[in-house]
Amino acid sequence: MENFEPEIVAFCCHYCAYTAADMAGSKRIAYPPNVKIIRVPCTGKVDAIHIMKAFEKGADGVYVAGCLEGDCHFKNGNTRAKYRVEQVQKYLTDLGWEKDRVAMINMSAGMGEFFASTALEFTQNIKQLGPSPIKHFNTDGHQTAVS
Ligand code: FES
């Protein structure tokens, strides 16, 4: 498990988190390559099915990064995203998964360092949790032993 490198999907709002990631890049602030960014116009466009699909496709952890509360360019998209993330956390708990595999993070466009530090922190947290439980199933749908 020590060599486990988690796959992380980050749904990032175009106006804040994506720009913050861009800023981190232009300032040469490193963040883990485990984090794969999916740019969305607003986190309000991220539905629970998108998060669950990311897990189905192999993500070990998923986070949604939106504008600071009260700063969403579409009024309340980040509030809706926060609610959906909480719903997915409940689904994961019902499935017997760790709810911390999914998170909502808020930031402004100027928070490049924060983007990098949260990407690192989330990656480390998922590394501690280990591979997604869905990876314990083979292609036939049978559960397999994890080595
Ligand atoms: Fe950024 Fe809505 S525009 S979360």
Side-chain angles (χ1 to χ4, degrees):
M1 193 83 88
E2 283 180 19
N3 295 328
F4 166 61
E5 285 298 334
E7 293 179 46
I8 311 290
V9 171
F11 291 99
C12 294
C13 158
H14 166 78
Y15 292 97
C16 50
Y18 187 83
T19 307
D22 210 22
M23 178 172 282
S26 61
K27 285 184 161 181
R28 302 194 188 285
I29 305 168
Y31 60 88
N34 311 59
V35 177
K36 308 296 185 241
I37 295 175
I38 297 177
R39 180 168 58 170
V40 293
C42 170
T43 55
K45 294 297 287 180
V46 181
D47 214 335
I49 190 72
H50 300 123
I51 299 172
M52 297 307 283
K53 273 282 177 194
F55 283 117
E56 184 185 285
K57 297 287 183 187
D60 300 293
V62 180
Y63 66 90
V64 181
C67 299
L68 295 171
E69 289 190 22
D71 282 349
C72 173
H73 289 59
F74 299 93
K75 287 191 178 176
N76 60 355
N78 52 3
T79 310
R80 291 201 317 265
K82 181 181 173 189
Y83 171 77
R84 290 171 183 156
V85 165
E86 289 168 354
Q87 289 301 306
V88 172
Q89 287 178 328
K90 287 178 188 164
Y91 301 154
L92 296 188
T93 303
D94 289 347
L95 289 169
W97 293 28
E98 304 87 355
K99 71 175 181 59
D100 293 337
R101 287 190 184 276
V102 64
M104 176 79 203
I105 300 170
N106 298 87
M107 65 187 74
S108 72
M111 297 169 76
E113 288 179 20
F114 181 74
F115 178 88
S117 66
T118 53
L120 177 62
E121 185 182 343
F122 189 79
T123 302
Q124 288 173 337
N125 290 344
I126 299 301
K127 209 167 184 172
Q128 290 292 318
L129 294 177
S132 154
I134 208 166
K135 290 183 173 171
H136 298 188
F137 290 87
N138 63 24
T139 53
D140 297 321
H142 296 103
Q143 192 161 11
T144 56
V146 179
S147 55

